[in-house]
Amino acid sequence: MCGIVGYTGSEQAKDILIGGLKRLEYRGYDSAGVALEQAGGDGIDVFRRVGKVSGLESELAHLDHTSTCGIGHTRWATHGRPSVANAHPHSSCDGRISIVHNGIIENFAELREELEARGHHFASDTDTEVFAHLIEEAYESGNGKPGTHDLLAAVREACTHVIGAYGLAAICADEPGVIAVARKDSPIIIGKGETGSYVASDVIAVIDATRDVVVLEDGQFARLTPEGISYTDADGNAIEPAVTHIDWDIDMAEKGGYPDFMLKEIFEQPRVVRDTLVGRLSGAGELDIDELGLTYEELDLIDRVYVIACGTSFHAGLIAKNLIESWARIPCEVEAASEFRYRNPIITPTTLVVAVSQSGETADTLAAIRDARIKGAKVFGITNVVGSPVARESDGVIYTKANKEIAVASTKSFIGQVVSLTLLALLLAQVKGKLNTRQVKLLFRELGDTAEQIQWILDTQQEAIHEAALACKDAHSALFVGRGMGAAISNEGALKLKEISYLHAEAYAAGEMKHGPIALIDPGFPVIAVTTKSPVYDKVVSNLKECEARGAKIIVVATEGDEDIKQIADHVICIPEVRDAFTPITATVPLQLLAREVALMRGCDVDQPRNLAKSVTVE
Ligand code: F6R
């Protein structure tokens, strides 16, 4: 995830910026850069590198730069590939303004076109660069308005043109020692230390300098100087935001105040849904996959889809199968990449292979992609890592925008994968004429609503999940059941539980219980069921009655307001009512939280389970 750091004070800025960027490294990035003011307002020097912050540090170490004001950034590519040109800071045409930005500018294409028409020259493929030119126009005069000749006022003016999310820090050679800051939907922390003023996107970058910080709110702006910090609202009125005292240690700060990365990443899921959907649907209802790599004509010819993946990514594929078959009416098979690559699957030039991989480098998935390509299939990648082998070796790609996932157990990546696969299913259905524009728009809106629904679960269901976890913690085994989408989700619930709590768990299609697994059930045996309102609700309930009769401890993930289910369930975890197609996005969240609670109760390390690594790159 991109990181911002800025400093203005009496010390050498380059050392402070590099120190701050190193602190942000754990979030993941592909390039880094700093902008340093030259002495006497002569100009701004920008240094950018692809790769590690240590590379940038070595470059700056040889440089005698005494600047005491600057901004720095670690970039995780969204618009435009990782490259020096796309790395931040970005600059105005005359190089006298430099900016760093986190977030996504949704209307950047229109803004860029307008700015180019007014004579601005762009040096990158990023959305961010429009900000540098908008601020330049507002500062100097342009677009029919006189210049503000005030950096913060120019930043405020620029923000009125931007739709999207931003955490922004800007410097200007004409205002030495000043950093202007803006925030909307992307975190910004500001603090005053002994030697100067600091801005960062994450408290971890400033925690050595100060523990009293302002967490900027949306629509608030700040002006940092070596002497102090002033704040305004969007109209330029002075405000005094509250100061928060941070008593976290470094370890907690890296985890954003959460006790472990797994919980932090589960709580990031509403953002993942939003970010993965940003800019994907035009006003006219056309889905926009920027790195599609296949023409609509090629997509229209697709008559068979294989989703290939491993582990959690494979479970995302199970959900995609339901969506692709029901919306686009294309036969879809889901296969473990480790099986697919050693079989002789039926592949023709009209076969689409969808490779799903968080890391983008899992050995079996890569081998399966290569094999599929040799056999003539079109390959589409869904991955979280820009420029990863899966991305490079596929014809097209959707990036999941989950940002770096640190806990070994995949949570936010899974949600990003399911949202991306849902987009792909919608696209195939649209291209094949199975869904019209009105239907696509409606489904897209409901897909976006899942962000708030996940938030509701996170805000309200922790206690119920804790109680359910108590019922599982001493068990020797647990069974996850469901039908339809519920069966697909059950697989992920069982995998999460076993990998982090070392409690044996299996997933079964609920209708299959009576064909064998029911023999396992004795009094107190935990059965965890997805019983959300769906066309198969009654069927799942009747399967659960069979378990109840044998004394099972029944835990259900149910639709809020379902009073009937309480008659049969020992523990009810609620999710908001949602279209069955989108149930996986919401109903998986309680199962992730349940697995984590059980693991903690059993004394397990939820971030680093035994025997497992984040990616499996060798056989
Ligand atoms: C489970 C988990 C693994 C991965 C699997 C595939 O929580 O993280 O099952 O899903 O190893 O990894 P990627 O998606 O990187 O190919």
Side-chain angles (χ1 to χ4, degrees), residues 23-323:
R23 278 279 164 76
L24 296 174
E25 279 190 303
Y26 78 97
R27 298 150 65 100
Y29 63 100
D30 50 58
S31 50
V34 296
L36 296 167
E37 280 181 6
Q38 294 167 5
D42 284 351
I44 295 172
D45 293 320
V46 176
F47 305 90
R48 299 180 293 182
R49 288 281 284 249
V50 173
K52 296 280 167 213
V53 173
S54 55
L56 185 67
E57 183 180 28
S58 316
E59 185 178 341
L60 293 178
H62 303 298
L63 199 84
D64 183 22
H65 210 297
T66 53
S67 171
T68 56
C69 177
I71 50 178
H73 193 264
T74 44
R75 174 173 188 253
W76 182 266
T78 51
H79 288 84
R81 295 184 169 279
S83 67
V84 170
N86 288 335
H88 300 213
H90 290 287
S91 301
S92 54
C93 295
D94 63 5
R96 294 191 71 74
I97 292 171
S98 274
I99 62 147
V100 288
H101 163 238
N102 285 358
I104 296 176
I105 302 174
E106 290 173 42
N107 59 336
F108 91 101
E110 298 95 288
L111 290 173
R112 180 171 176 146
E113 210 176 298
E114 288 164 20
L115 285 158
E116 282 178 333
R118 293 199 291 271
H120 288 265
H121 172 71
F122 278 72
S124 77
D125 303 322
T126 63
D127 54 338
T128 292
E129 198 185 338
V130 297
F131 246 129
H133 297 283
L134 285 171
I135 297 170
E136 178 178 36
E137 271 196 349
Y139 193 88
E140 301 289 351
S141 83
N143 198 13
K145 288 189 181 169
T148 61
H149 299 288
D150 173 326
L151 182 59
L152 187 62
V155 166
R156 279 196 302 263
E157 164 68 21
C159 289
T160 63
H161 300 281
V162 167
I163 299 170
Y166 46 83
L168 176 93
I171 56 175
C172 172
D174 298 312
E175 294 188 29
V178 174
I179 303 178
V181 178
R183 177 213 149 117
K184 182 171 172 285
D185 292 331
S186 186
I188 285 285
I189 310 289
I190 291 172
K192 177 83 180 72
E194 268 181 28
T195 68
S197 305
Y198 296 77
V199 55
S201 53
D202 187 324
V203 76
I204 184 118
V206 300
I207 206 162
D208 285 339
T210 178
R211 285 178 171 270
D212 293 312
V213 299
V214 166
V215 181
L216 214 61
E217 287 182 14
D218 285 351
Q220 294 184 334
F221 296 80
R223 181 175 188 272
L224 283 65
T225 65
E227 294 76 34
I229 303 155
S230 56
Y231 298 91
T232 77
D233 63 15
D235 297 323
N237 303 310
I239 51 168
E240 278 197 33
V243 174
T244 307
H245 181 72
I246 305 289
D247 51 13
W248 308 335
D249 56 23
I250 295 286
D251 182 51
M252 273 186 85
E254 277 190 349
K255 293 171 185 152
Y258 292 96
D260 47 76
F261 281 111
M262 185 176 180
L263 190 62
K264 174 175 183 274
E265 288 163 0
I266 289 173
F267 269 77
E268 280 179 55
Q269 296 179 125
R271 179 200 56 75
V272 173
V273 173
R274 288 190 199 101
D275 285 359
T276 304
L277 293 179
V278 161
R280 299 294 195 197
L281 188 74
S282 74
E286 295 293 322
L287 285 163
D288 181 10
I289 311 287
D290 36 77
E291 298 198 38
L292 184 60
L294 299 167
T295 62
Y296 281 11
E297 288 70 34
E298 284 170 324
L299 282 180
D300 193 18
L301 290 174
I302 298 297
D303 55 9
R304 181 196 299 267
V305 178
Y306 286 104
V307 182
I308 52 165
C310 304
T312 288
S313 304
F314 171 81
H315 298 152
L318 295 176
I319 292 152
K321 171 183 168 70
N322 282 296
L323 300 178

Side-chain angles (χ1 to χ4, degrees), residues 310-313 357-359 362 408-410 417 495-496 499:
C310 304
T312 288
S313 304
S357 173
Q358 183 283 132
S359 60
T362 295
V408 166
S410 184
Q417 289 168 347
L495 175 62
K496 280 290 93 83
E499 75 173 315

